[in-house]
Amino acid sequence: MDIYIKGKRIRLKPDCAIGKGGEADVYKLGSDRAVKIFKSPDHPDYQGLSQEQKSAKEKLVEHQQKLRQFPTNLPPRVITPEDLATDKQGRIIKGYTMSLVSNAEVLLRYGERSFRNGVIDNKTVVNIFENLHETVTKIHLVGVVLGDFNDLNVLVKGTDTYIIDADSCQFNGFYCRVFTAKFVDPLLCDRAASSPIMQSYHNQDSDWYSFAIMLMQCLLFVSPYGGIYKPKNPSKRIPQAARSLNRITVFNPEVKYPKPATPYQVLSDDLLHHFYQVFEEDKRGEFPRSLLANLSWQKCSSCGVEHARKTCPLCTNIQITPSVSPIGTKTVRGTVTAELIFKTEGIILAGNYSNSSLQWLYWDGSQFKRENNTVVFTGELDPYTQFRLGGKATLVGKQGQVITLSPNVSPERLAVDNCGMQVQFDTNEIGKYWLYNGQLLRDGQLGSEYIGDVLSNQTRFWVGSQFGFGFYRAGNLTVSFVFDTRRKGINDRLQIPLGSGQLLDATCTFSDRLCWFFWSMQEGGQTRKRCALISSDGEVKALHEGNETWLQNLQGKCAVNHFLLCGTDEGILRVEANGDRLFVAKEFPDTEPFVDANTHLYAGKNGLYAVSQQTIYLLKIS
């Protein structure tokens, strides 16, 4: 693709892409600048989507004037348009250049327990939101409204925050017509609808409403409308998407609070009361900064939870006694026998089942240890460090490098491609696999062996015992592929409709001949979660999209033969395919005390291993 900036032609190549959203693609220009290019109505992502094509056309027309009148007095941490990207004649605006914020993460990740992992504490989160509060206040002072304010258009670097996608802001009669369902103010929406539909334009109050949702999500790992609404009266049941319209929050006694979330009682009374007023009673206005400044966090010495109270509300008020069950304790519940085989006050970081045994890596607060308690290395935990286990070897990946640590062997270092902030490598029984300079490689007898070509720094992949799966998407290009773990060559003829929006998460789990690929996208203001069942020869056997319980968390699932096992807050579910349809074939409610939606499952010869953040259970189902 060719664009012109100040009359100079610039060719944008797919391997320079650094971001892809629902309305635009972003490319890197040098070390400190990027260019955002709006998708045209004929963009491949909009193929067959008439409404999206219409919206793209309208947006391009509006931007011909809006970008030329963009305010120049916004705070410095708002990433605003700099130079316009145009056609050759300089008449039609295609996008704009902007500052590039390197090594930053979207605020969304700070609301994920798996990312925070006990390393990023709530005091740091509060500092982040104090910084964001200052920026939002300054934006409002110059008469600008953020509009579609959500946790994907806030970048975090340290405790500094940067607001991106500023072209959607409201000013001078240019209105923001897009919204994210999770963050849109219900006061602006049709209350009688089954999902949020905006009837009024965004305003400063709706910006602060979104701010409050993001803060709650990052402190508690649950949104105000999370959990499962199960009214006793069946006539009161409503779609999940309509809960904000009916003010049915986690404070409602008929909402089942998510097990992996932090109980809201850990918040101070003042902050908890404010959240209740905003989400239950429609209080609006600027978020009181004093609620952030007055928070004082401490960690309970008994249960380890962070709280903003004088005494721990979980150990004192709710009288929850920390588990003291010894290793080897067996618990029988109905058809399930659960044996506690490991527990730690630290954090379990990775697991793997191979050679007829479960392997794991955990951090005890200062040391990284394997399942036999041998110390792999010493240091602090970092949210950007990735781990894989291969037999006795522990692979550690970060910032374009993978180090293999094995007993009595010198560390081996590899340069590896990144995709975003993630280092691209994986392991199986054969050895390790990685990407470097756009090539997919594996361990060989004489060194690395070439498998096939992919797109540098845009590719994600995973391996099973027999085959692997991967994909890349950049600009107009989207490719999915499978490959044999023992042979050269990739099959990139798969037809998987990944979607047109921003990728939020993706993962895979394998049995011998099947791959279950999960991914979530932000499209049209909605989070869409999907699953594809793929055979080793590249045939897509089933595609599924939905918000069922088994798709709430994409990670941690276990493929066994032709079926899938998924941990949920209500126990393990078994998912199977019927033709091209995926469905829950069986439920195991007796497993409920030992798993939740964040549990990772591994099938072994002695039973099913359930690996949570601090415990491992061996489950036997009769």
Side-chain angles (χ1 to χ4, degrees):
M1 177 193 301
D2 289 346
I3 60 169
Y4 290 81
I5 299 174
K6 293 183 177 180
K8 181 181 179 181
R9 188 181 76 167
I10 296 176
R11 175 155 292 177
L12 301 177
K13 298 179 180 180
D15 58 359
C16 292
I18 56 173
K20 188 175 183 67
E23 298 179 337
D25 298 315
V26 181
Y27 298 83
K28 190 174 183 179
L29 290 179
S31 61
D32 59 353
R33 295 177 76 220
V35 60
K36 182 174 183 177
I37 302 299
F38 299 112
K39 296 178 183 178
S40 60
D42 61 352
H43 194 286
D45 285 352
Y46 295 152
Q47 185 176 356
L49 303 173
S50 58
Q51 184 57 49
E52 283 78 358
Q53 291 171 343
K54 179 183 177 183
S55 297
K57 183 177 181 179
E58 292 172 349
K59 194 173 186 69
L60 283 171
V61 170
E62 180 182 65
H63 276 313
Q64 303 310 306
Q65 299 300 321
K66 184 176 183 179
L67 290 181
R68 297 185 194 276
Q69 300 178 36
F70 205 86
T72 58
N73 57 346
L74 289 172
R77 291 200 181 99
V78 179
I79 307 303
T80 56
E82 296 177 352
D83 298 321
L84 299 179
T86 69
D87 63 355
K88 187 175 183 179
Q89 291 73 32
R91 293 178 298 194
I92 300 175
I93 298 174
K94 294 185 175 182
Y96 60 87
T97 67
M98 57 188 175
S99 298
L100 176 63
V101 184
S102 301
N103 300 319
E105 189 60 84
V106 290
L107 184 60
L108 168 79
R109 299 297 306 280
Y110 288 76
E112 299 173 354
R113 188 183 290 275
S114 59
F115 175 74
R116 298 262 299 277
N117 240 355
V119 180
I120 302 171
D121 58 19
N122 280 335
K123 182 179 179 180
T124 300
V125 168
V126 170
N127 290 339
I128 289 169
F129 276 88
E130 286 181 318
N131 184 277
L132 182 59
H133 190 288
E134 179 182 354
T135 300
V136 175
T137 301
K138 291 179 178 178
I139 290 171
H140 289 172
L141 285 174
V142 297
V144 174
V145 171
L146 285 166
D148 187 20
F149 188 28
N150 62 77
D151 54 9
L152 288 174
N153 58 29
V154 178
L155 296 181
V156 180
K157 187 174 183 178
T159 57
D160 291 335
T161 57
Y162 300 83
I163 294 177
I164 60 174
D165 296 334
D167 54 88
S168 66
C169 291
Q170 287 186 180
F171 61 90
N172 296 345
F174 293 105
Y175 292 100
C176 176
R177 296 174 176 84
V178 296
F179 66 92
T180 302
K182 183 177 178 180
F183 296 98
V184 66
D185 188 342
L187 294 180
L188 308 178
C189 300
D190 179 3
R191 185 161 187 168
S194 58
S195 62
I197 300 175
M198 276 184 62
Q199 293 183 318
S200 303
Y201 292 122
H202 299 283
N203 53 50
Q204 292 186 2
D205 282 351
S206 64
D207 281 352
W208 289 116
Y209 173 86
S210 300
F211 180 95
I213 289 184
M214 289 185 270
L215 176 62
M216 182 172 176
Q217 176 77 50
C218 290
L219 291 177
L220 301 178
F221 306 112
V222 64
S223 78
Y225 309 103
I228 300 173
Y229 179 46
K230 286 189 172 183
K232 295 179 181 178
N233 184 347
S235 66
K236 292 184 177 181
R237 292 175 183 167
I238 60 172
Q240 169 67 24
R243 281 180 50 190
S244 65
L245 304 176
N246 292 273
R247 318 302 194 264
I248 298 174
T249 74
V250 292
F251 304 123
N252 188 302
E254 293 189 303
V255 170
K256 184 177 181 181
Y257 200 76
K259 288 167 67 175
T262 300
Y264 56 71
Q265 291 87 351
V266 304
L267 301 179
S268 67
D269 284 335
D270 289 343
L271 181 56
L272 193 58
H273 183 59
H274 182 77
F275 282 150
Y276 186 90
Q277 288 181 307
V278 171
F279 303 125
E280 290 267 355
E281 300 175 346
D282 292 338
K283 180 180 180 178
R284 294 294 183 268
E286 179 178 337
F287 186 93
R289 187 156 187 175
S290 61
L291 292 179
L292 298 173
N294 294 337
L295 284 174
S296 178
W297 295 95
Q298 54 184 312
K299 191 171 184 178
C300 177
S301 59
S302 296
C303 69
V305 73
E306 281 187 279
H307 63 88
R309 294 176 174 271
K310 292 182 178 180
T311 58
C312 177
L314 303 191
C315 296
T316 306
N317 297 344
I318 306 179
Q319 296 181 341
I320 295 179
T321 303
S323 173
V324 292
S325 300
I327 300 298
T329 298
K330 292 185 178 181
T331 304
V332 178
R333 188 176 192 265
T335 61
V336 175
T337 300
E339 179 183 356
L340 179 65
I341 66 169
F342 178 75
K343 64 178 181 178
T344 177
E345 294 184 358
I347 299 170
I348 300 172
L349 302 171
N352 182 47
Y353 188 87
S354 67
N355 300 322
S356 300
S357 65
L358 182 71
Q359 304 154 5
W360 65 88
L361 174 75
Y362 69 101
W363 183 66
D364 67 1
S366 61
Q367 296 177 319
F368 294 81
K369 297 180 178 180
R370 287 292 298 264
E371 62 278 357
N372 58 3
N373 290 325
T374 58
V375 177
V376 181
F377 65 101
T378 299
E380 294 299 315
L381 192 57
D382 183 287
Y384 293 107
T385 304
Q386 299 162 235
F387 303 97
R388 297 288 189 276
L389 307 179
K392 295 180 180 180
T394 303
L395 282 72
V396 184
K398 185 181 178 183
Q399 294 179 345
Q401 183 176 231
V402 170
I403 301 176
T404 302
L405 303 171
S406 302
N408 305 315
V409 178
S410 298
E412 176 189 331
R413 297 176 183 269
L414 282 173
V416 180
D417 285 351
N418 280 12
C419 185
M421 301 289 283
Q422 296 184 342
V423 183
Q424 292 304 305
F425 70 107
D426 207 350
T427 61
N428 64 8
E429 295 86 345
I430 300 172
K432 57 181 175 288
Y433 300 73
W434 68 97
L435 304 181
Y436 181 62
N437 279 344
Q439 292 186 335
L440 175 58
L441 306 168
R442 67 164 171 251
D443 278 334
Q445 292 182 349
L446 301 177
S448 62
E449 293 185 354
Y450 167 85
I451 298 176
D453 290 326
V454 295
L455 189 60
S456 178
N457 294 316
Q458 307 296 331
T459 304
R460 299 170 187 248
F461 84 101
W462 302 262
V463 296
S465 59
Q466 304 298 322
F467 74 106
F469 168 82
F471 72 94
Y472 51 87
R473 57 197 301 263
N476 297 341
L477 186 65
T478 299
V479 175
S480 302
F481 60 90
V482 293
F483 59 95
D484 191 299
T485 55
R486 292 170 173 80
R487 295 184 177 88
K488 180 180 177 180
I490 63 174
N491 172 4
D492 59 4
R493 298 186 298 273
L494 282 71
Q495 298 297 318
I496 300 179
L498 291 177
S500 61
Q502 183 172 351
L503 182 70
L504 303 180
D505 194 11
T507 190
C508 271
T509 184
F510 297 83
S511 58
D512 284 349
R513 294 298 173 187
L514 292 173
C515 160
W516 300 74
F517 169 48
F518 304 90
W519 74 104
S520 61
M521 306 283 289
Q522 187 81 357
E523 294 179 352
Q526 302 281 346
T527 299
R528 302 189 183 279
K529 298 182 179 181
R530 300 180 174 109
C531 174
L533 180 60
I534 305 163
S535 65
S536 57
D537 60 3
E539 179 186 358
V540 180
K541 292 184 169 295
L543 283 170
H544 181 85
E545 177 181 333
N547 287 307
E548 294 93 332
T549 305
W550 64 275
L551 270 177
Q552 289 304 301
N553 187 0
L554 305 188
Q555 306 290 331
K557 306 180 193 309
C558 175
V560 183
N561 297 325
H562 65 281
F563 59 86
L564 182 76
L565 297 174
C566 312
T568 76
D569 283 6
E570 297 179 317
I572 294 172
L573 303 179
R574 173 170 167 162
V575 175
E576 297 182 8
N578 182 5
D580 60 357
R581 185 176 70 91
L582 300 178
F583 70 103
V584 176
K586 192 170 183 180
E587 301 178 6
F588 301 94
D590 290 338
T591 62
E592 183 272 333
F594 315 107
V595 300
D596 60 38
N598 286 355
T599 300
H600 287 244
L601 302 176
Y602 300 89
K605 65 179 183 179
N606 296 321
L608 186 67
Y609 293 94
V611 181
S612 298
Q613 193 174 44
Q614 294 182 307
T615 61
I616 301 177
Y617 282 94
L618 174 60
L619 306 180
K620 296 181 180 181
I621 305 174
S622 59

